[in-house]
Amino acid sequence: MSSSAKEQQQITSWRRSVYRTGLEVLRTDVAAWLSTLFGVRITAENVFASICQGTVLTSLHDWSHSAQKAEVVLSPSRDTTTEDCTAEFAEWAKELHIPPEFVPTTEELAQERNEYKLLACVMQVARCFGKLYPDIKALPEMVTIEHSLEEILKGKLDWTGAVVGKVPIADIKNVAHNEGFELSECGRQDEFGRHFFGQTTPVFVRRCCQKILVCIFDEWMPLSLYLQMLGFLPAAEDESKDGSSSNSN
């Protein structure tokens, strides 16, 4: 196999790992948020099917438009079909300025397709909730982390204090050590608490859904994978190893 073909294969493997990790985090975080919000048990295993039924979308819509936002019930207050839920949710998404590519279609809900897209859409709704209703306490872990990053960058939050998702330096070093590589510069941080790993642009490292992740251009990926892409860690030999360290943290 030529070097260019190997590079392309490695890039494909990285992309798959980022997708898998992102989907796992979305499942876990969205399920936990909806469970807290509606007071019912929704798991990472059934969250996609629960949303595809349409009731979740309708309930989110009705709750956000209710004068009594503390009263959250996971059931539509009126007779609706999946088509009604989808159409209403699509219009509401426009009001929230959610990009159209995130909004599910009736066919996707009915056939339970494009899980990543649908969960990402619900996460976007949660982000909008956080901005529209600052007093809301129950938000996905990822949204809470992202909000704290914004507060740190604005100088409203001290990163040296108790910051949600903050990862001890020792844990970051362990990720590198478990992959068989020692990082000499992983303790260096900038004035916002972003980490340097030998690169010129520092990055935030946070723990979310039991995974140590790095924020790159508003996207999250496993720290181990990020280090591989920087060239610090040896590339995974196969997909089964890819992202394994993030699963163990």
Side-chain angles (χ1 to χ4, degrees):
M1 183 181 295
S2 65
S3 58
S4 61
K6 289 182 179 179
E7 290 177 1
Q8 186 58 47
Q9 186 180 57
Q10 182 63 79
I11 291 173
T12 300
S13 179
W14 282 336
R15 287 174 176 170
R16 289 174 177 170
S17 181
V18 171
Y19 177 85
R20 287 196 304 270
T21 302
L23 181 58
E24 187 176 349
V25 169
L26 281 172
R27 285 171 178 164
T28 303
D29 210 9
V30 169
W33 177 52
L34 295 177
S35 295
T36 300
L37 194 63
F38 295 123
V40 298
R41 187 173 184 272
I42 298 177
T43 67
E45 290 70 29
N46 68 16
V47 63
F48 180 49
S50 299
I51 296 174
C52 285
Q53 294 174 1
T55 306
V56 168
L57 301 182
T58 301
S59 298
L60 285 173
H61 174 274
D62 289 350
W63 175 63
S64 72
H65 286 75
S66 170
Q68 302 295 327
K69 293 185 173 59
E71 298 179 4
V72 186
V73 181
L74 184 57
S75 61
S77 58
R78 47 196 156 64
D79 293 332
T80 55
T81 64
T82 301
E83 290 77 9
D84 293 333
C85 292
T86 308
E88 191 172 67
F89 186 79
E91 288 302 315
W92 182 39
K94 290 180 182 178
E95 295 177 17
L96 296 177
H97 303 291
I98 295 177
E101 58 268 22
F102 280 102
V103 182
T105 65
T106 302
E107 291 75 19
E108 288 171 334
L109 289 173
Q111 300 173 18
E112 296 190 7
R113 292 189 288 110
N114 288 347
E115 180 180 9
Y116 195 106
K117 171 183 175 181
L118 182 54
L119 294 176
C121 182
V122 175
M123 186 64 80
Q124 286 293 98
V125 169
R127 291 187 178 102
C128 292
F129 276 13
K131 293 180 180 179
L132 293 174
Y133 314 121
D135 294 334
I136 290 180
K137 302 301 182 183
L139 287 172
E141 185 178 2
M142 182 61 70
V143 175
T144 304
I145 289 174
E146 291 171 350
H147 177 70
S148 72
L149 299 187
E150 293 177 1
E151 294 292 285
I152 289 172
L153 291 174
K154 292 178 181 178
K156 297 181 179 180
L157 183 64
D158 182 7
W159 70 269
T160 62
V163 179
V164 60
K166 187 176 178 180
V167 183
I169 294 294
D171 290 355
I172 294 175
K173 289 183 177 180
N174 283 337
V175 173
H177 179 72
N178 290 339
E179 292 288 345
F181 196 92
E182 295 293 340
L183 290 176
S184 60
E185 297 189 35
C186 68
R188 192 162 68 92
Q189 297 173 266
D190 70 359
E191 68 272 23
F192 300 112
R194 294 177 296 191
H195 293 262
F196 289 95
F197 297 98
Q199 82 284 29
T200 57
T201 303
V203 294
F204 280 114
V205 180
R206 289 292 183 270
R207 190 188 303 275
C208 182
C209 299
Q210 305 302 313
K211 298 181 182 298
I212 297 181
L213 305 175
V214 177
C215 185
I216 307 293
F217 301 116
D218 296 326
E219 296 290 338
W220 294 86
M221 69 171 66
L223 173 59
S224 59
L225 179 61
Y226 174 69
L227 295 175
Q228 287 184 27
M229 295 175 69
L230 283 179
F232 280 94
L233 300 179
E237 295 179 358
D238 53 52
E239 283 190 27
S240 63
K241 180 181 177 183
D242 219 0
S244 59
S245 67
S246 66
N247 293 331
S248 63
N249 288 278

